[in-house]
Amino acid sequence: MRKVYLSYHELITAYGMGSQKTVEAIQQEQSGIHQANYFDRHTAPFVSSQIDRAMLEASFQELHPSKEYTRLEKILICSLDTVIKASKLKLNDRVGLIIATTKGNIDVLDTEHPFPKSRAYLTEMARAVSDFFSFTTEPIVLSNACVSGALALAIAKGYIQQQKFDHVFVVAGDLVTPFTVSGFTSFQAMSAQPCKPYSEDRDGITLGEAGACVLVTSDRERTNGTSVELIGEASCNDANHISGPSRTGEGLFRSITKAMRQAEIRTEDLGFISAHGTATVFNDEMESIAFHRAGLSEIPLHSLKGYLGHSLGASSLVETIAGMHSLKKNTLFRSLGFAKLGTSKPLAVIEQTTPKKMQTFLKTASGFGGCNTALVFQQLADES
């Protein structure tokens, strides 16, 4: 079976352009969450993590676009451009493209948006991004709520091991829009303050936006210092409710145990868990139950949403890239916003950024519709 690696990568977040800026801010425990610009007079006050518009526009114009693109497409294109150039790959029929997003160009449905409403179709968005780089293969769109980014990595692994592709560029992105704000507000799930995953005083999510891209490859020669091997992955739908997670954590529990079995590692070998941690009452409770059932209650754990908010389909890819750096730096990143444990089952929440020698980590993601994904990553052995 072919080995699969995550190699060159890029992040675009509220911290700026480039993975290093985001990772350094997280390591320094700096929040990227700020008071949001209100969309209209009907929008209640909220905080969020948003990409600077002027910075994005300046970076995009450096690529000399020949036509107009939506804001999300610009984020995806800028993310991809960095990774494609770093990889030096020719975009032939052995190179795939997966675009992960929850809502895509949902903002074009706003009344005064300049783009045609058809641009909200995910296929239209994907074609615009793919054509910018002249990919020869058909772009694949993966939209499965908030596990989209993580699931895209698992799908890329499958394509490579089935020898459909040798390399797959996985790019993910989502925006903070009136649609998403109003949706979560209607669930009474929005926190007025930066979110506090797993904390007793948590009261809801903070929305965020981000772009992320990584090269998934079978070529060991195309790896670098932060590269990891994807050694286990699994997904399971608990079929509980359209928006509510299973009270028993069944889907996440099954995803974790299957991914760990595939990875052939023991629970005590895990360096840390990069969890979903949205800071809603039900999600965090569900995760604590699933981790407890999987025997992971004592494994160091964090949620990065206290830094970047919840960027929906992009969040798990953003957090995976941060996890790659965590392994490389042998550093556990603090779970920002956590004060006192507020779940029924114990969790080893990381309360301060701490050095730790480690080789593996587990990334989990959960989302609306009962979807759950678990991925196990391992540092590359020195072949010199």
Side-chain angles (χ1 to χ4, degrees), residues 20 23-24 27 324-331 333:
Q20 200 62 38
V23 172
E24 286 177 356
Q27 189 167 5
M324 293 165 65
H325 283 266
S326 183
L327 277 190
K328 174 65 176 177
K329 293 173 177 289
N330 287 307
T331 301
F333 296 147

Side-chain angles (χ1 to χ4, degrees), residues 108-119:
V108 305
L109 298 180
D110 294 345
T111 305
E112 298 180 357
H113 203 284
F115 282 85
K117 301 297 184 282
S118 60
R119 201 63 158 246

Side-chain angles (χ1 to χ4, degrees), residues 161-181:
Q161 292 188 331
Q162 295 160 19
Q163 300 195 35
K164 180 176 177 62
F165 297 120
D166 297 320
H167 318 278
V168 180
F169 290 97
V170 175
V171 63
D174 266 303
L175 302 176
V176 175
T177 67
F179 182 92
T180 54
V181 171

Side-chain angles (χ1 to χ4, degrees), residues 231-234 254-263 374-376:
I231 59 174
E233 47 80 19
R254 293 192 185 194
S255 297
I256 292 169
T257 52
K258 289 175 68 177
M260 293 287 289
R261 193 181 311 124
Q262 186 184 107
L375 308 168
V376 183

Side-chain angles (χ1 to χ4, degrees), residues 88-150:
K88 299 180 180 178
L89 282 170
K90 293 183 178 179
L91 303 181
N92 55 32
D93 62 359
R94 302 301 302 165
V95 178
L97 171 64
I98 300 178
I99 301 174
T101 184
T102 296
K103 300 312 300 179
N105 284 327
I106 192 69
D107 54 327
V108 305
L109 298 180
D110 294 345
T111 305
E112 298 180 357
H113 203 284
F115 282 85
K117 301 297 184 282
S118 60
R119 201 63 158 246
Y121 291 121
L122 297 180
T123 51
E124 293 287 324
M125 176 203 70
R127 178 56 58 196
V129 173
S130 176
D131 287 352
F132 186 94
F133 298 100
S134 300
F135 274 86
T136 60
T137 55
E138 190 74 15
I140 299 155
V141 181
L142 202 157
S143 182
N144 191 13
C146 298
V147 308
S148 298

